[in-house]
Amino acid sequence: MSIGKILILVGGILMIFGLVVSYAPGLISWFGHLPGDIRIEEENKGVFIPVTSMIVVSILISLAIHLFSYLK
């Protein structure tokens, strides 16, 4: 697959994601609120470490890469 086709594919995926975030934010409201995400908030500062959310994102990206490698 040429770099041009890959860039078009990535751009299309980003466009779809942008539309979902803009017009249906409830579909991704779970992100950052999963069990295992660490949130420490104090009076004037806070720390957020999305451990479980990043594991889910990593699995989804790995599945997409494997799917595209089979489509070649």
Side-chain angles (χ1 to χ4, degrees), residues 58-72:
S58 175
I59 291 170
L60 291 174
I61 290 172
S62 295
L63 288 173
I65 289 171
H66 286 293
L67 177 68
F68 290 127
S69 69
Y70 287 122
L71 292 177
K72 277 186 171 180

Side-chain angles (χ1 to χ4, degrees), residues 9-41:
L9 182 67
V10 170
I13 291 170
L14 286 173
M15 185 178 71
I16 290 169
F17 185 72
L19 289 171
V20 168
V21 169
S22 296
Y23 296 109
L27 292 177
I28 59 166
S29 64
W30 56 269
F31 186 76
H33 298 287
L34 294 174
D37 290 340
I38 299 169
R39 185 180 304 262
I40 302 170
E41 295 181 6

Side-chain angles (χ1 to χ4, degrees), residues 40-47:
I40 302 170
E41 295 181 6
E42 293 182 6
E43 189 174 319
N44 294 326
K45 57 186 171 183
V47 176

